[in-house]
């Protein structure tokens, strides 16, 4: 089975940058999707970005377009999220997830991102 482990979260000032990494273990097929989600206390889980393992499909949530970039490295077996121009409203726990179809059924433990004003 696929296992996911996030890292790279931390505290940053508004306007700063962070790079999150999701380490992938286990077998994975090229057309499967890996994505980033985030959730703040008292709020619903929000889609951030996704990418297929073969790189053919990339999509971003409206709130992060132009600021965040998702990428993957098949050698290192990671899915990364470069976050630039961070805003206080980006503060949340960020989760890596995977789906072979439609349900996001594999999740990492999450990493906290806090953006101060």
């Amino acid at each position: 089975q696929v296992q996911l482990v996030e890292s790279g979260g931390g505290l940053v000032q508004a306007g700063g940058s962070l790079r999150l990494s999701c380490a992938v273990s286990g077998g994975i097929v090229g057309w499967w999707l890996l994505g980033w989600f985030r959730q703040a206390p008292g709020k619903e889980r929000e889609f951030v970005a996704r990418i297929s393992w073969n790189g053919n499909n990339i999509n971003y949530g409206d709130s992060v377009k132009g600021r965040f970039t998702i990428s993957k490295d098949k050698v290192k077996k990671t899915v990364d999220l470069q976050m630039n121009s961070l805003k206080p409203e980006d503060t949340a726990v960020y989760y890596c997830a995977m789906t072979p179809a439609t349900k996001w059924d594999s999740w990492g433990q999450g990493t906290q991102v806090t953006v101060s004003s």
Side-chain angles (χ1 to χ4, degrees), residues 2 26 28 40-42 45 53-54 72:
V2 173
I28 188 167
R45 184 182 63 197
W53 195 234
N54 61 21
K72 48 81 179 177

Side-chain angles (χ1 to χ4, degrees), residues 36-107:
W36 286 95
F37 294 80
R38 65 188 184 185
Q39 188 167 24
K43 296 184 178 180
E44 296 293 325
R45 184 182 63 197
E46 179 185 19
F47 169 75
V48 175
R50 65 160 174 81
I51 187 170
S52 58
W53 195 234
N54 61 21
N56 290 339
N57 295 293
I58 299 176
N59 189 255
Y60 297 94
D62 290 340
S63 64
V64 305
K65 288 181 179 178
R67 299 189 298 122
F68 292 9
T69 302
I70 190 170
S71 61
K72 48 81 179 177
D73 188 325
K74 287 190 174 183
V75 176
K76 297 180 179 179
K77 294 194 70 174
T78 62
V79 177
D80 301 323
L81 185 70
Q82 178 66 45
M83 305 185 295
N84 299 326
S85 301
L86 284 163
K87 306 173 181 179
E89 51 262 44
D90 294 319
T91 296
V93 176
Y94 283 69
Y95 298 91
C96 182
M98 184 280 297
T99 181
T102 58
K103 182 181 179 181
W104 296 94
D105 53 4
S106 296
W107 295 84

Side-chain angles (χ1 to χ4, degrees), residues 16-32:
S17 299
L18 282 175
R19 187 175 181 87
L20 307 182
S21 183
C22 173
V24 181
S25 63
I28 188 167
V29 178
W31 51 269
W32 288 4

